[in-house]
Amino acid sequence: MPILPMLYQLPEELMQEVLERLGQSDLRSLQLVSRWAYAIAAPLRWREVELVDCRTQYEDGFDDHDDTPLIKVLLTLARKPELAACVQVLTHRCHLPPPSIFQELPQMPLASQTLSADPRTISLIRHAVRNMVKLHTLHIILGHPNLNDALLRCCFDKRRTKINPVRRLWLENCRVDKGCALSLNSHPPGLPLELDFSGVESVRFRRLPLSFGTYNHDDFVYSRGSLNGVSRKLEDGAGSTYRTTVNLLVSEQSAGASQLDWRDNHQTSVYTGDANPAPSVVSPLSALFKEANLYDRRIWEALSASGYLLPHDMPLLETGQLPSNVLRSETAYRGEWLGLLPQHLEEQVLHAFGEQRETLRLPQTVSLLCNSASSTLRSLTFDWVLIDPSFSHETATQSHWIRVFSGLFSLRLPHLRAFQLRNAVVADTKLPYDLFLLDHAGLNTRSRRHFIGLHGQPEQIQRLDTMCLEFMEAHGNLQCLAWPMEHFFSESGTTASADIAPRVSAVIDTLGRTLVDLRVDAMYSDIGEFQSDTSDSQSHSVARRRRRRFIERFASKMTKLTSIKIEGGVPRDERREIIRALHACPLEKIVLIGVTSTLGNTWGERGEDLGEPASHLRVPRLQGEDKEAVWKYGPAKPEDILPDFAFEANYGWPAGPPMLNVIAAHHASTVTELKFCGYQGAPALFAPTPLTTPLLSALKHFHNLERLVISLWFSTHFEGSPRDLDVISYWLNSRSPASTALVRVTDEEPEGWEKELKTKYAPDVLARRITSFLGPLLSEQAKARRGGVNVRASFCLGSYGGIFDVDLNVGRGALADVCLGFKGPREELEPERRRTKLDDRRWF
């Protein structure tokens, strides 16, 4: 019997359950079958919409940021309100991989002037968003600046939010200075001037350059294509690199200053009439936007020829009625985006195109955005944002920053349940040196050099001194808190200052009753984390005292936590003491992330026990485990390790139980999810050292375990050289239906490296190997449950540290453990994995 007639007979709830499991391509096919199928498939097909550009090759060059795909989507939504009304989640992202936060993001202001600058595209955003009456979530991830502004100003138009408020906002790898400005005097493309963020319940600022400082001459931005831009090699997020075209930031900024001189020497007639004036009157800004205007003209001509029509109320944007290139370029030019410009440009550009320039810096805009949403905001997250002002010695910059922090911690958000600030990655993400959540800010003589702009401002100093504490006092219902471990308390003394001690104790007691999710971090170290911090240097001893005060004064007071995450350069003994300090909490999820394996070093001192080459890793700094203690305590039962327990911090790493045994002793009965990330010293999949089994033996005590994420390691050396890129290419090709790289043209058995690939690194071989490696270590009860234990084995490959995951379910078979299904290996940017990461992000 045909399936389609059977679908008619299903109850609506069951019908939705069936359709929810279909992918976008399946829904697209289903909606073409019949009118009835269209009616049930279209709402799901258009529930989530992505606006993504592409790269297009022409005979005379290539457009690295062709907007054709996203324009087609916008045209459909603008002309068909019934489809736009189905949109609930809208995502705009560039097709390029996001910049590496370690090497690239600090050099990328994300202020590309020439991307998506065509007024027709901006106007289409306005028409399409107007029809999205059910939109509740907006993601912008490495979006094009002009589209960022258009989406934000249209989604949060004051006239719209009263009727259809967007509830969740995710901003990542983008600049949104003008897009988030609550009020503008004018906007040349005609976007809304008044914004209102009331109704927003969750905001995540992720990897944004929230900085005021001057940018360097080698900072760069993405450019449109090959005619003007310079090709540059960037990381592709999969262990290798790719090439794209960029412009130097200073060259885009200089064009505005040069335009002033050009204006004085030409007649105003060049601002009207022919959209393509003679070369003799090409202005600096016209030259900057020449490529963008050329490619946009091609895009719209191709769309028109293909039958794509503009909405009926956009007559002034037909190709033949566009303003001249000079006027278009000046309208599109954004002037100064990025806080303080280099001195030689600041005065020249400042008054050039004033009505189009941002009047507020992005950090100030962020505070105003949150304040506008204060009546509804439930979750506020700053996730690895570039904020550190300590490298700037300019009084103006420091003063700006003081006002920003003062504005942020002056917010009062009555419904706030999650407040997160994570900053463990690079120096640019550090908090100001003496800013503490539960202590006096160190704005005294010792640290005032960090706040130059406050000299002679005693009232401002007093206001900042306890602003974080006042913020915590005002938000007594927090359930999730993320904060740098070294910025809870200062290093001086063992208790809070007498004047604030009762207040601090009251806040900690309240959080002890309300917090269910706690996340702490410390700055990553390239060489990895040691077992214990024994350094005598002043900076290390200060940071160490601060971290340990957090453990003894804060972590030990928590009683309700179900989730703990410890990330970055936290020594292993301090991680262990946090776990011990939380002995009274019913922990269900434990996450430990570092550079070195957070469970212990299976490779031995300086990697001497590892049987495979690892010359590219920093194994000389690896500390060995006490092997006798590991073999003694590894197989022990949790109750035998801690028969009687009362928490008292005990640092160092004496001969005792391994990390996993400590976790099991306190939390095995409640834990359902474990995550251990760190590749140096991680268990070697193909050549495990003898110490691996006792270090992991305690896994068998986690009977309620549902999910395990663990870093594993393997060597790709073959005939004396590493073959990481070959393995990565093999994985990517193996899942691509269009690839012919795996086709053999002979009937001979594979030999050499090809045989090694198929018999060792093939996805199904890896899944079986992971199952046979980890399966025997897992709890028999956990594996016996329906679906078994979900395991994610994570590998780091490539010259640029690409992370690849194999997801599988390990179940208990009649004779041996079985793999119940697997996916991968998948890199972080693989479409399904990226989508899942967005959907499953907690507290968003």
Side-chain angles (χ1 to χ4, degrees):
M1 183 177 180
I3 295 178
L4 193 58
M6 294 176 63
L7 290 175
Y8 283 106
Q9 305 172 29
L10 293 177
E12 183 176 349
E13 294 81 0
L14 187 55
M15 174 86 68
Q16 291 299 314
E17 180 72 18
V18 172
L19 295 179
E20 289 279 359
R21 300 175 184 272
L22 298 181
Q24 286 294 307
S25 59
D26 297 322
L27 290 170
R28 191 179 301 112
S29 299
L30 178 60
Q31 71 180 25
L32 299 177
V33 171
S34 67
R35 292 182 181 273
W36 175 83
Y38 181 90
I40 64 169
L44 287 176
R45 161 76 177 82
W46 290 93
R47 183 172 59 183
E48 297 188 18
V49 169
E50 278 198 338
L51 303 177
V52 188
D53 61 331
C54 68
R55 186 180 191 271
T56 298
Q57 182 75 46
Y58 296 101
E59 291 183 1
D60 58 347
F62 56 85
D63 183 356
D64 253 341
H65 298 276
D66 181 353
D67 285 334
T68 298
L70 66 88
I71 291 175
K72 289 181 177 179
V73 174
L74 291 172
L75 282 168
T76 300
L77 296 174
R79 294 182 59 84
K80 296 186 176 182
E82 69 278 7
L83 294 182
C86 300
V87 179
Q88 299 179 32
V89 179
L90 180 61
T91 301
H92 167 47
R93 62 178 179 85
C94 182
H95 75 285
L96 295 179
S100 159
I101 192 168
F102 292 100
Q103 305 297 334
E104 296 168 358
L105 186 58
Q107 283 189 280
M108 296 180 67
L110 301 171
S112 310
Q113 304 256 15
T114 60
L115 307 190
S116 303
D118 192 277
R120 290 162 290 194
T121 309
I122 305 303
S123 186
L124 268 179
I125 292 281
R126 186 171 70 250
H127 284 70
V129 170
R130 181 181 60 194
N131 294 335
M132 298 180 194
V133 294
K134 295 181 182 178
L135 182 67
H136 59 66
T137 300
L138 175 62
H139 302 122
I140 297 178
I141 303 173
L142 193 62
H144 297 177
N146 292 292
L147 293 187
N148 300 345
D149 289 352
L151 287 167
L152 286 163
R153 301 209 70 81
C154 293
C155 287
F156 297 99
D157 181 2
K158 193 171 186 177
R159 296 165 295 184
R160 182 184 189 277
T161 53
K162 301 298 183 183
I163 306 171
N164 305 305
V166 173
R167 298 195 300 273
R168 303 195 302 169
L169 176 61
W170 180 303
L171 300 175
E172 177 177 348
N173 281 318
C174 58
R175 294 205 71 89
V176 291
D177 309 54
K178 196 167 186 176
C180 288
L182 295 182
S183 178
L184 295 175
N185 293 327
S186 64
H187 196 287
L191 295 178
L193 302 180
E194 299 290 332
L195 302 189
D196 182 3
F197 290 90
S198 61
V200 174
E201 298 176 2
S202 179
V203 178
R204 180 176 289 265
F205 302 104
R206 178 172 169 81
R207 304 190 182 192
L208 299 189
L210 300 183
S211 54
F212 282 107
T214 300
Y215 282 82
N216 300 318
H217 280 269
D218 57 349
D219 289 345
F220 61 94
V221 293
Y222 297 115
S223 73
R224 195 65 187 270
S226 56
L227 298 181
N228 289 337
V230 177
S231 178
R232 183 161 182 152
K233 185 168 67 174
L234 301 174
E235 295 182 28
D236 66 359
S240 188
T241 59
Y242 72 101
R243 282 196 170 274
T244 190
T245 49
V246 301
N247 285 331
L248 289 177
L249 173 66
V250 67
S251 67
E252 289 202 355
Q253 300 289 10
S254 299
S258 302
Q259 186 79 0
L260 294 177
D261 296 332
W262 183 89
R263 274 182 166 189
D264 295 336
N265 299 320
H266 292 82
Q267 299 293 328
T268 57
S269 58
V270 300
Y271 291 92
T272 59
D274 185 10
N276 303 290
S280 60
V281 294
V282 172
S283 70
L285 282 184
S286 295
L288 176 65
F289 284 90
K290 175 184 177 181
E291 194 171 35
N293 292 337
L294 169 65
Y295 289 147
D296 284 336
R297 186 170 69 250
R298 291 179 179 178
I299 288 171
W300 286 96
E301 287 174 352
L303 287 170
S304 179
S306 300
Y308 284 90
L309 302 177
L310 289 168
H312 63 84
D313 52 350
M314 291 176 59
L316 297 180
L317 292 178
E318 297 295 345
T319 303
Q321 297 175 308
L322 288 175
S324 70
N325 278 345
V326 176
L327 185 56
R328 288 184 66 193
S329 300
E330 290 192 357
T331 301
Y333 185 68
R334 300 292 296 276
E336 176 271 307
W337 285 67
L338 308 166
L340 303 178
L341 277 174
Q343 287 294 322
H344 70 284
L345 292 181
E346 178 71 24
E347 295 301 323
Q348 298 181 71
V349 182
L350 186 58
H351 302 292
F353 313 104
E355 65 176 3
Q356 298 158 49
R357 291 164 47 83
E358 290 76 6
T359 57
L360 292 176
R361 313 301 192 222
L362 181 55
Q364 296 166 307
T365 304
V366 165
S367 296
L368 293 174
L369 184 160
C370 295
N371 188 61
S372 177
S374 60
S375 62
T376 55
L377 197 59
R378 299 172 61 86
S379 178
L380 176 58
T381 299
F382 296 89
D383 195 359
W384 293 359
V385 294
L386 307 185
I387 59 176
D388 179 35
S390 64
F391 297 114
S392 174
H393 299 289
E394 300 176 17
T395 299
T397 303
Q398 295 288 353
S399 296
H400 278 311
W401 263 110
I402 297 307
R403 286 197 295 272
V404 168
F405 275 106
S406 180
L408 176 62
F409 287 101
S410 295
L411 292 171
R412 295 298 177 260
L413 312 170
H415 300 290
L416 192 66
R417 296 295 179 271
F419 178 63
Q420 302 184 83
L421 190 149
R422 301 173 59 218
N423 77 333
V425 192
V426 292
D428 304 67
T429 65
K430 291 192 303 184
L431 282 177
Y433 181 76
D434 277 338
L435 188 70
F436 303 108
L437 193 66
L438 300 173
D439 211 336
H440 286 290
L443 303 182
N444 48 37
T445 304
R446 176 176 63 84
S447 64
R448 193 169 294 178
R449 70 181 186 277
H450 297 282
F451 297 96
I452 300 171
L454 292 184
H455 284 310
Q457 301 181 45
E459 293 182 1
Q460 186 76 325
I461 291 177
Q462 182 63 33
R463 175 69 187 87
L464 290 169
D465 190 41
T466 57
M467 64 179 179
C468 295
L469 176 59
E470 292 170 9
F471 179 86
M472 297 302 293
E473 289 174 318
H475 300 91
N477 294 314
L478 286 180
Q479 295 176 285
C480 172
L481 175 65
W483 191 258
M485 191 172 169
E486 295 167 9
H487 286 270
F488 278 81
F489 304 101
S490 71
E491 70 279 8
S492 58
T494 58
T495 60
S497 302
D499 60 322
I500 60 171
R503 297 168 60 190
V504 172
S505 295
V507 169
I508 294 175
D509 289 343
T510 299
L511 292 173
R513 296 189 299 269
T514 64
L515 274 190
V516 296
D517 196 338
L518 176 63
R519 307 171 183 197
V520 293
D521 57 41
M523 196 62 56
Y524 274 105
S525 168
D526 290 342
I527 61 175
E529 301 78 37
F530 292 114
Q531 293 174 346
S532 184
D533 183 356
T534 58
S535 173
D536 294 328
S537 72
Q538 175 68 16
S539 60
H540 278 80
S541 62
V542 166
R544 181 171 62 241
R545 289 199 298 272
R546 292 178 174 185
R547 293 193 305 268
R548 294 181 177 183
R549 289 191 72 192
F550 159 78
I551 296 171
E552 296 158 22
R553 294 192 53 208
F554 188 91
S556 63
K557 306 298 182 183
M558 299 296 105
T559 61
K560 303 295 184 182
L561 290 184
T562 60
S563 176
I564 178 67
K565 180 177 184 179
I566 309 168
E567 182 176 8
V570 182
R572 202 196 315 165
D573 64 338
E574 294 177 18
R575 296 175 189 261
R576 180 197 64 211
E577 292 309 296
I578 293 175
I579 297 298
R580 295 177 68 242
L582 299 177
H583 64 94
C585 297
L587 289 180
E588 299 174 3
K589 179 178 181 179
I590 297 176
V591 179
L592 306 179
I593 302 176
V595 173
T596 304
S597 173
T598 52
L599 291 179
N601 170 25
T602 72
W603 299 358
E605 186 86 16
R606 296 183 296 276
E608 59 189 15
D609 295 338
L610 186 64
E612 297 180 300
S615 57
H616 61 295
L617 300 177
R618 300 187 178 185
V619 294
R621 302 301 295 268
L622 283 176
Q623 296 175 294
E625 307 295 326
D626 187 311
K627 295 182 179 180
E628 291 187 8
V630 172
W631 281 106
K632 174 183 177 181
Y633 290 104
K637 297 179 180 180
E639 57 268 23
D640 295 337
I641 293 176
L642 296 172
D644 299 303
F645 177 78
F647 175 71
E648 182 177 346
N650 181 23
Y651 303 103
W653 199 263
M659 175 69 83
L660 196 54
N661 292 81
V662 174
I663 296 173
H666 294 287
H667 305 291
S669 62
T670 57
V671 163
T672 60
E673 182 174 352
L674 293 171
K675 183 174 183 178
F676 305 117
C677 295
Y679 296 97
Q680 293 185 21
L685 180 63
F686 296 124
T689 62
L691 210 60
T692 302
T693 297
L695 275 175
L696 301 181
S697 288
L699 279 174
K700 65 177 176 289
H701 302 300
F702 293 87
H703 303 310
N704 295 312
L705 188 65
E706 298 174 1
R707 179 170 171 79
L708 170 66
V709 180
I710 186 169
S711 294
L712 300 179
W713 184 87
F714 60 69
S715 172
T716 65
H717 273 68
F718 186 79
E719 296 181 345
S721 61
R723 303 289 185 95
D724 286 33
L725 296 183
D726 288 347
V727 172
I728 293 172
S729 178
Y730 177 68
W731 288 345
L732 298 180
N733 288 329
S734 67
R735 70 169 188 241
S736 172
S739 174
T740 59
L742 304 180
V743 177
R744 289 182 56 80
V745 295
T746 71
D747 295 329
E748 299 176 4
E749 287 296 319
E751 296 180 356
W753 175 239
E754 186 176 3
K755 180 178 180 180
E756 185 87 348
L757 279 174
K758 294 190 67 174
T759 59
K760 192 173 181 179
Y761 303 110
D764 58 332
V765 175
L766 273 179
R768 289 196 299 269
R769 176 57 187 158
I770 295 166
T771 300
S772 63
F773 177 60
L774 292 176
L777 299 170
L778 298 173
S779 161
E780 295 297 317
Q781 293 174 231
K783 290 184 292 187
R785 287 195 311 271
R786 183 176 182 181
V789 178
N790 177 254
V791 173
R792 168 170 285 183
S794 183
F795 303 94
C796 183
L797 274 74
S799 304
Y800 296 89
I803 297 176
F804 290 81
D805 294 335
V806 178
D807 290 281
L808 63 151
N809 285 68
V810 178
R812 189 172 68 182
L815 300 177
D817 297 315
V818 294
C819 176
L820 302 176
F822 75 93
K823 291 182 179 180
R826 299 184 296 176
E827 71 279 16
E828 290 185 291
L829 298 180
E830 189 270 335
E832 183 181 355
R833 187 179 170 203
R834 176 171 50 199
R835 182 76 256 168
T836 302
K837 194 171 184 178
L838 274 180
D839 294 341
D840 294 346
R841 182 71 70 170
R842 300 183 72 184
W843 304 105
F844 177 70

